[in-house]
Amino acid sequence: MDRIVVPLESLRPARTSVANGLLRTAGQPSGIDGGPIDRFGRPIHDLRISVTDRCNFRCVYCMPKEVFGRDFAFLPRDLVLSFEEIERLARIFVDLGAEKLRITGGEPLVRRDLAVLVERLATIRTPAGRPVDLTLTTNGSALRRLAPELAAAGLRRVTVSLDSLDDVTFRTMNDVDFPVDRVLDGIAAARESGLAPIKVNMVVRRGLNEASVVPMARWARSEGLILRFIEYMDVGHTNGWRLDDVVPAAEILAAIDAEMPLDALPPNYPGEVADRWRYADGSAEVGVIASVTRPFCGTCTRARLSADGRLYTCLFGSEGHDLRGPLRAGASDEDVRAAVAAVWGDRVDRYSELRAAATIATPRPEMFALGG
Ligand code: SAM
């Protein structure tokens, strides 16, 4: 007998909209452990640290070759934060409530001596004395070489971006003719080095790789990897985003559920971006990051630090707040802490909820510049 596929929306409660909360007065007192909360009551939980704006891939939806060709002016080295500066800022964010640090980029593994930074970040403790959850998002191309030293330096786990298992599709999407086998080998290296659990991110773009959804789900399930499907987002301005190119999370889940029945799982913590599901036989977990069709601004607790030291409070924020300038001008930790707390305390962004024709035209940074 055919299984009835239940639409996602009827299986999950509606998300809490930011707008359901009362807008607080700027500068109101702080949240848990003295950390700031923004004007919608959201604390800082994650810091995403972009260590470079460079990447060795030219994924068509992120850094299209036509725009990011040989002549593109990436940041000069002196404008990129040093490891000392990153560590100092990370400590300040952890002091303000961040419990999770994610190293990203660009491609973080192209930054020389990254393990030295990992070693520094791994020593950070929360005000309650807990180690931070330290992780990294990578395209996996250099993991075979670097996974052992990253693990030895204190990295706990990795997320690897992989958009298809089909070599032709994968090479088309990374647009530098990089073979899928090398990423799979990188994932194997991460596993051998004890970087676990390993998550795999797959951006699904209509007409490019939706045929890879179910094969990826089958593979990740059999390998015991946590797969996250990401709806193609309108980050930046260079990828020519159109709503028609988005494959909604509900469609992705329905395709998987038709072959491998799914049960909903609760979030690991409030503010987790992925909607989590488990195969009904308990074999593995799968998730969707539905920032277009089911925005999660209401629980967004992520701060982003760009490679040149700007603080963004939203992936779609039009401008960051410079922290490198004050750092290099001799600001004390207390000064920087106060500056970050003030920016966060004044935060009202909820772009994905407001996504509409009017906001599509506002300037936005590119994903590679401030980290995914
Ligand atoms: N180079 C690293 C990597 O490949 O994971 C880290 C940076 S990359 C910008 C971080 C994540 O953002 C990747 O999983 C990538 O697929 C995702 N991403 C980039 N552009 C996107 C877009 N327009 N919509 C959805 N996800 C996107």
Side-chain angles (χ1 to χ4, degrees):
M1 194 179 82
D2 280 351
R3 246 183 126 250
I4 297 165
V5 178
V6 185
L8 171 69
E9 290 306 322
S10 65
L11 288 177
R12 300 198 67 90
R15 288 192 194 273
T16 311
S17 161
V18 175
N20 291 349
L22 285 180
L23 191 63
R24 297 156 42 85
T25 312
Q28 262 186 295
S30 45
I32 314 156
D33 291 339
I37 52 175
D38 72 12
R39 291 181 66 190
F40 290 115
R42 299 169 293 187
I44 302 178
H45 180 269
D46 288 36
L47 176 65
R48 302 194 168 199
I49 305 168
S50 172
V51 293
T52 178
D53 60 341
R54 291 162 200 259
C55 188
N56 56 333
F57 282 13
R58 285 292 175 274
C59 296
V60 290
Y61 55 81
C62 186
M63 291 181 79
K65 240 182 200 165
E66 312 79 77
V67 181
F68 302 97
R70 281 189 199 290
D71 299 336
F72 186 79
F74 288 98
L75 287 169
R77 188 170 297 183
D78 60 321
L79 296 189
V80 174
L81 292 184
S82 67
F83 288 167
E84 290 77 8
E85 290 167 332
I86 293 174
E87 181 192 350
R88 200 172 149 205
L89 288 173
R91 287 189 184 279
I92 289 168
F93 276 89
V94 171
D95 214 32
L96 290 171
E99 305 224 341
K100 179 168 166 184
L101 301 177
R102 177 176 293 280
I103 300 171
T104 177
E107 170 49 40
L109 301 191
V110 305
R111 175 99 187 234
R112 192 178 299 173
D113 298 327
L114 189 71
V116 174
L117 176 67
V118 168
E119 205 162 12
R120 287 168 171 263
L121 298 180
T123 64
I124 300 179
R125 296 288 174 273
T126 67
R130 288 188 299 277
V132 288
D133 179 9
L134 180 59
T135 182
L136 175 143
T137 301
T138 172
N139 61 28
S141 59
L143 270 180
R144 170 52 67 193
R145 185 166 53 86
L146 295 175
E149 65 185 79
L150 292 170
L155 188 68
R156 300 181 145 214
R157 55 196 182 84
V158 283
T159 297
V160 181
S161 303
L162 175 61
D163 296 328
S164 182
L165 289 175
D166 175 68
D167 196 48
V168 173
T169 307
F170 184 64
R171 288 179 195 245
T172 305
M173 288 187 81
N174 66 54
D175 214 12
V176 291
D177 213 23
F178 199 89
V180 73
D181 280 354
R182 284 184 53 197
V183 176
L184 298 179
D185 186 48
I187 292 173
R191 200 198 299 258
E192 288 156 24
S193 302
L195 295 170
I198 297 173
K199 286 188 188 156
V200 174
N201 276 352
M202 171 175 172
V203 174
V204 188
R205 190 168 136 178
R206 180 82 71 203
L208 266 181
N209 64 339
E210 74 237 63
S212 300
V213 164
V214 175
M216 278 284 283
R218 272 187 217 122
W219 165 76
R221 179 187 187 209
S222 69
E223 294 285 320
L225 302 167
I226 301 174
L227 178 59
R228 301 277 193 240
F229 293 98
I230 307 180
E231 286 179 345
Y232 172 47
M233 291 184 289
D234 49 336
V235 260
H237 279 295
T238 56
N239 62 11
W241 184 88
R242 295 176 323 137
L243 189 58
D244 286 354
D245 295 333
V246 178
V247 180
E251 185 180 324
I252 293 169
L253 287 167
I256 299 170
D257 186 67
E259 179 178 317
M260 296 168 277
L262 296 168
D263 294 328
L265 285 173
N268 283 313
Y269 58 88
E272 189 173 35
V273 295
D275 270 331
R276 302 165 61 232
W277 300 77
R278 185 178 47 202
Y279 294 105
D281 64 3
S283 55
E285 180 190 320
V286 65
V288 285
I289 301 181
S291 55
V292 178
T293 60
R294 285 169 51 77
F296 35 81
C297 305
T299 54
C300 175
T301 52
R302 278 168 297 286
R304 296 166 193 272
L305 187 61
S306 65
D308 59 348
R310 298 180 75 80
L311 164 63
Y312 288 86
T313 56
C314 179
L315 190 52
F316 302 95
S318 57
E319 57 187 55
H321 302 264
D322 179 36
L323 298 178
R324 186 194 63 215
L327 275 190
R328 293 192 182 172
S332 66
D333 282 0
E334 204 33 66
D335 294 338
V336 179
R337 193 186 138 99
V340 172
V343 169
W344 191 269
D346 210 22
R347 175 185 187 231
V348 287
D349 42 40
R350 53 187 186 105
Y351 173 80
S352 293
E353 286 189 356
L354 300 173
R355 185 182 270 111
T359 56
I360 297 289
T362 53
R364 293 191 298 273
E366 301 293 335
M367 187 85 152
F368 75 90
L370 53 78

